[in-house]
Amino acid sequence: MKILKSSRIFVPGGMPQYTYVARTEKNLEERLRAVGDNLCKLATITGATKSGKTVLTNKIFPRENAIWIDGGTIGDKDDLWLYILNEIGGFSESESFDSDSSASSVSGRIEGEAGVPLLVKGKGSASTGLTTTHSKGRTRKTALSPRTAAISQLRSLDLPVIIDDFHYIDRSFQGSIVRALKPLIFEGVPIILIAIPHRRYDAIKVERELTGRLESISIPTWDREELLKIPVEGFALLNVDVKNSICQRLADEAYGSPHLMQEFCRELCKIKSIEKTQKAKAKISALSDNLFKKVAEGTGKVVFDRLAKGPRQRSDRMQRTLKNGKTADIYKVTLLALANLAPGLDTIEYEVLRGSIREVLEDNIPQAHEVTRVLEKMTEIAIDDEASTPVLDWEKEEQKLHITDPFFAFYLKWGEDKA
């Protein structure tokens, strides 16, 4: 029996070698492979945060054979092109030499008898000559914009370009990026944008000419049977028999996220002190809710607290009385109302959230404009967070709040902060 470490079997947030689930019945890998076969379309890979978009794309287009860019690192329109040039060892300056030259030659004939070293046997002759060239001129250097230099050199290399978290790039830069990449798309260079679902058509919005040249691959939420393959296959490699009801419970709590399921399995190994493949068959027949609380504490509390704190302001915010007798300001109240809904990865209508706020507050219900202002500020805070994808996103025009991160949704259910 091969001895494996549990940390190599269950890999949350990374590329799992032993518990990768291909989801073959959904033909996701086949469709993505077609992008690399001169498809001449811009490919968008969409799915909820931590749904396996990046893992799938990395499986088909490994980082060592492609150019991967993290959209969260693009703060300026030139950042992307400079990053590409750095990745390919490219240049941003071209050089040419303009010259004027003149040449002069001296020629003659050598004759001799046999025995003269320069000649063949018998009488013969050979020609000789000397040519000298004189040149003068100047070197001309031309500075290329990072965009022009990167596009030109990408064309010759024919390397796939993957922009992860494309939705995280400022909309004003998105248009410039897509327009610049359009010639490469038409020439068959694989260009892939990875984004979250409700931002699926950002590329089309910023560049209408791509209509009809877009290959949209949606990563559906993982169902229970797909999630179950992770613990079933992983624990078998550890020689551990896990009760079926426990695996079912883990799948139910994972919000359709393989990342979260990997996290559960690794935490279960820690709790049961399973560091590697067991020599004798081990069994896990009980599961405590403490596992979920511990995972929640390690995954969602930091961002929850940051959102609850809100932006800095000169004076203290008004404290409102909760139905449990405690008090909280409007930022904490809004988050407690979300926790009361325990929404999962959902889109929440504004009026539904307002109703939940009324349920957690004893009195002093905030006005509509106060709640929308808080949601706008929370979105700004979430965007400024170090995570590559905001945990929530308020669409003011549509009056909808999107919960985009399963870890955040999971914390809303299992975190200690409850009304």
Side-chain angles (χ1 to χ4, degrees):
M1 180 182 295
K2 186 176 181 180
I3 304 299
L4 297 171
K5 290 185 176 181
S6 58
S7 59
R8 292 195 61 195
I9 292 175
F10 299 118
V11 188
M15 182 67 197
Q17 178 181 355
Y18 299 101
T19 51
Y20 174 80
V21 179
R23 310 178 80 187
T24 53
E25 67 280 0
K26 292 183 170 59
N27 297 318
L28 298 173
E29 291 189 5
E30 288 74 10
R31 293 183 64 191
L32 192 51
R33 283 194 184 94
V35 175
D37 189 25
N38 199 32
L39 189 62
C40 298
K41 289 186 177 182
L42 172 67
T44 61
I45 313 297
T46 61
T49 302
K50 301 178 180 68
S51 63
K53 304 183 299 296
T54 301
V55 170
L56 170 66
T57 308
N58 186 61
K59 181 76 161 48
I60 308 303
F61 297 99
R63 292 178 182 268
E64 59 268 22
N65 299 322
I67 299 170
W68 278 74
I69 300 121
D70 179 5
T73 65
I74 307 303
D76 180 84
K77 62 181 181 181
D78 284 338
D79 286 353
L80 174 75
W81 313 115
L82 290 171
Y83 181 86
I84 289 174
L85 287 173
N86 182 67
E87 283 292 291
I88 65 179
F91 54 85
S92 58
E93 190 176 76
S94 65
E95 184 176 299
S96 61
F97 184 73
D98 297 329
S99 67
D100 299 315
S101 61
S102 60
S104 59
S105 63
V106 178
S107 61
R109 201 170 195 76
I110 300 174
E111 295 184 356
E113 298 292 337
V116 177
L118 292 177
L119 302 178
V120 294
K121 186 176 180 181
K123 185 176 179 178
S125 66
S127 295
T128 182
L130 172 65
T131 301
T132 60
T133 301
H134 302 279
S135 64
K136 59 181 179 179
R138 62 185 180 275
T139 299
R140 177 180 297 172
K141 293 184 178 181
T142 304
L144 303 173
S145 72
R147 168 173 161 168
T148 300
I151 293 297
S152 174
Q153 291 157 68
L154 279 174
R155 180 178 283 112
S156 63
L157 291 172
D158 195 27
L159 283 172
V161 177
I162 295 97
I163 305 179
D164 203 353
D165 294 322
F166 181 75
H167 55 272
Y168 203 59
I169 299 175
D170 189 276
R171 180 67 66 85
S172 63
F173 300 156
Q174 289 180 357
S176 172
I177 290 168
V178 172
R179 281 188 287 274
L181 292 172
K182 187 167 63 175
L184 298 180
I185 296 167
F186 293 168
E187 293 171 20
V189 177
I191 307 293
I192 300 167
L193 310 180
I194 304 176
I196 53 179
H198 68 281
R199 298 296 189 188
R200 177 180 305 170
Y201 299 108
D202 277 5
I204 288 296
K205 290 177 182 177
V206 299
E207 185 49 64
R208 293 291 179 184
E209 291 181 33
L210 282 174
T211 303
R213 288 190 177 272
L214 186 70
E215 178 71 9
S216 180
I217 302 174
S218 177
I219 308 297
T221 300
W222 288 51
D223 59 37
R224 175 188 278 190
E225 294 307 312
E226 290 172 325
L227 289 170
L228 283 173
K229 290 179 182 179
I230 295 174
V232 169
E233 295 179 9
F235 282 109
L237 292 172
L238 291 170
N239 199 25
V240 175
D241 184 17
V242 181
K243 193 174 180 180
N244 184 58
S245 60
I246 292 177
C247 292
Q248 298 277 357
R249 177 78 188 284
L250 296 179
D252 290 341
E253 295 290 348
Y255 288 112
S257 168
H259 187 155
L260 203 46
M261 177 59 97
Q262 295 273 358
E263 198 79 53
F264 292 160
C265 293
R266 178 174 283 195
E267 186 61 35
L268 187 56
C269 286
K270 290 181 181 178
I271 291 172
K272 301 298 182 179
S273 300
I274 299 171
E275 297 181 357
K276 59 184 179 181
T277 302
Q278 304 295 288
K279 293 181 179 180
K281 175 73 75 173
K283 291 186 178 182
I284 298 178
S285 55
L287 177 68
S288 169
D289 285 353
N290 287 333
L291 180 147
F292 302 118
K293 293 177 181 178
K294 189 169 183 180
V295 171
E297 187 73 15
T299 57
K301 180 172 175 56
V302 172
V303 68
F304 183 96
D305 289 346
R306 189 174 292 126
L307 294 173
K309 185 178 180 181
R312 292 181 180 179
Q313 65 177 43
R314 296 179 181 178
S315 58
D316 293 337
R317 297 189 187 94
M318 177 192 302
Q319 296 295 307
R320 303 168 191 266
T321 304
L322 304 172
K323 286 187 177 178
N324 63 8
K326 299 180 181 179
T327 60
D329 68 17
I330 190 169
Y331 283 85
K332 184 68 174 290
V333 166
T334 302
L335 288 173
L336 292 175
L338 279 175
N340 182 54
L341 291 171
L345 293 174
D346 290 341
T347 295
I348 303 166
E349 299 288 344
Y350 172 74
E351 289 303 327
V352 174
L353 177 59
R354 282 268 290 166
S356 186
I357 288 175
R358 294 188 185 96
E359 290 179 11
V360 301
L361 279 176
E362 184 66 33
D363 53 26
N364 200 5
I365 307 299
Q367 298 295 313
H369 73 275
E370 293 179 286
V371 177
T372 56
R373 181 179 57 84
V374 166
L375 293 174
E376 289 172 10
K377 291 296 183 181
M378 280 187 174
T379 298
E380 291 176 10
I381 294 170
I383 290 174
D384 289 338
D385 188 62
E386 293 179 357
S388 60
T389 303
V391 299
L392 53 78
D393 189 3
W394 167 246
E395 281 194 294
K396 184 177 180 180
E397 297 79 8
E398 301 294 330
Q399 294 286 285
K400 294 178 179 179
L401 180 66
H402 303 277
I403 305 299
T404 61
D405 190 319
F407 282 173
F408 183 64
F410 183 73
Y411 185 81
L412 290 175
K413 179 177 180 179
W414 285 100
E416 294 298 325
D417 296 277
K418 294 285 184 180

